[in-house]
Amino acid sequence: MITIEENLEPDKNWNNRLLQAGLGPMVQTAQMSTTYKIDGGSPRFLKFVDSNGNILGQLMLGVLPRFTNSSPRKILNKFPGIKKLVYTWVQGPIIFKSENTRDVFVSLQNYLLSKKSRVYGSTFPLCDFDKNFISKNFQIQEWATSLIDLRKPIDELYSNISKHSGQKNIKRAEKRGITIEEIDENNLFDYHCVKHDFRDRMNEETYDYQATLEWWRRIKPIGYSGFLARKEGKAISGILFSYFNNIIVEAGIARSLEDIQEKLYSQDLIKWKIIEWGKNNKMN
């Protein structure tokens, strides 16, 4: 029998369990819980514990008072209901042994049903889930992502990029004089400006630079970076990425109108630089 231990704060080994298991993305780390606080909600840290006290899995989720612009787009499940609270998470739960998948999901389902609220969540693509079992208890909406094995030779990684789009766009960006640099606090403001304008054009919530800087300083130490593209010295686009657990996950895409309208293809070049960075830093 599995019980769920629910806490408002993570225990001291929360991140260590993710690292020791070699599973789990940055979005499930303790540091990312502040995201839910920014949205006006509060985080919950769930541990799935068997009768012997062994922790079989864990999930960091947020309880939000309403729908927000940052609600996950990749939906695992939606329980009908008209309650105001929303229980939401990204890429979880993290289950340490696949044989415990069924028991953990039964416990999670019972927990969520007891809340009588709306639920939105997404699974971690590298976890081995029994999809057939999950579909009997959750309404599933399929979502796709690209997985790249960075342990392959760099030449093979490049050859796997489409010649008619990816490779051609990388060469186009280079011919157009696009330069790429890694993001740090010296150029973070330039990235912030491009991202701010990008979100504004998409009618999404924007943040001031101080909030961006504080967020960067909070998550940078556990594995976060990014690349910024310039055209004649002007910042035109950027991509951030996490590398917690030696797994690279792209995030924070930002594009200027100039990059889009002039077809500078800087995003393709940035993505290739991220792959090169991953190879050089022994990512998986």
Side-chain angles (χ1 to χ4, degrees):
M1 179 178 178
I2 292 180
T3 58
I4 294 180
E5 294 183 5
E6 179 180 4
N7 295 284
L8 297 177
E9 298 291 338
D11 65 75
K12 64 180 182 179
N13 292 317
W14 183 271
N15 286 358
N16 288 337
R17 284 192 296 273
L18 298 177
L19 290 169
Q20 290 170 2
L23 293 171
M26 177 173 283
V27 290
Q28 279 295 315
T29 61
Q31 287 83 348
M32 293 300 292
S33 64
T34 55
T35 302
Y36 298 118
K37 296 178 182 178
I38 293 173
D39 287 333
S42 61
R44 298 289 190 277
F45 296 87
L46 308 184
K47 290 184 291 188
F48 301 88
V49 184
D50 67 13
S51 57
N52 295 319
N54 300 310
I55 300 174
L56 307 180
Q58 61 189 55
L59 173 67
M60 189 266 289
L61 55 77
V63 182
L64 304 179
R66 61 188 179 278
F67 294 106
T68 67
N69 291 334
S70 60
S71 295
R73 290 172 293 177
K74 300 161 184 174
I75 300 173
L76 165 68
N77 176 50
K78 182 199 301 182
F79 287 113
I82 57 175
K83 297 290 185 179
K84 292 182 179 180
L85 291 179
V86 179
Y87 282 69
T88 180
W89 71 90
V90 181
Q91 297 189 8
I94 303 303
I95 303 171
F96 302 129
K97 292 184 179 180
S98 60
E99 58 264 31
N100 297 317
T101 298
R102 181 185 181 89
D103 292 337
V104 169
F105 267 94
V106 167
S107 297
L108 177 59
Q109 177 184 245
N110 293 337
Y111 167 85
L112 295 171
L113 285 172
S114 71
K115 303 302 179 181
K116 298 180 180 179
S117 299
R118 291 189 180 274
V119 177
Y120 292 88
S122 62
T123 59
F124 181 49
L126 295 184
C127 280
D128 183 18
F129 289 98
D130 184 345
K131 182 179 176 181
N132 293 327
F133 160 68
I134 296 173
S135 65
K136 297 177 183 178
N137 297 276
F138 293 87
Q139 297 174 20
I140 294 178
Q141 177 176 321
E142 295 287 351
W143 65 280
T145 187
S146 297
L147 299 178
I148 300 175
D149 187 353
L150 294 176
R151 293 166 296 186
K152 294 181 179 179
I154 191 69
D155 292 342
E156 182 178 347
L157 292 173
Y158 187 79
S159 66
N160 287 337
I161 299 174
S162 171
K163 292 182 179 180
H164 299 292
S165 56
Q167 290 186 23
K168 185 176 292 185
N169 290 344
I170 291 171
K171 294 176 181 177
R172 284 170 173 167
E174 292 174 335
K175 288 181 179 179
R176 285 163 170 73
I178 304 304
T179 60
I180 307 297
E181 60 192 51
E182 191 166 355
I183 295 174
D184 56 27
E185 288 194 21
N186 293 317
N187 56 14
L188 180 63
F189 180 75
D190 293 335
Y191 166 81
H192 166 83
C193 292
V194 177
K195 181 65 174 178
H196 183 281
D197 292 344
F198 181 70
R199 291 181 68 93
D200 190 50
R201 294 198 310 272
M202 300 292 289
N203 293 318
E204 296 181 355
E205 186 178 2
T206 59
Y207 304 95
D208 60 30
Y209 177 64
Q210 187 59 36
T212 298
L213 181 60
E214 291 176 358
W215 166 80
W216 177 266
R217 288 175 174 174
R218 182 174 67 251
I219 64 174
K220 175 67 175 175
I222 60 173
Y224 212 77
S225 190
F227 283 100
L228 184 69
R230 295 185 186 273
K231 170 69 173 178
E232 297 178 350
K234 180 182 178 181
I236 58 170
S237 77
I239 299 178
L240 303 180
F241 62 89
S242 64
Y243 55 93
F244 182 79
N245 252 336
N246 289 339
I247 300 171
I248 292 180
V249 180
E250 292 181 5
I253 292 175
R255 297 189 70 187
S256 67
L257 278 176
E258 179 181 355
D259 183 50
I260 298 170
Q261 294 174 349
E262 297 186 15
K263 297 181 179 180
L264 299 176
Y265 302 105
S266 65
Q267 292 277 299
D268 294 272
L269 185 55
I270 290 176
K271 290 178 180 180
W272 174 243
K273 293 299 181 184
I274 292 174
I275 291 174
E276 288 184 323
W277 183 96
K279 282 294 298 180
N280 292 334
N281 288 276
K282 296 180 171 51
M283 297 291 116
N284 295 326

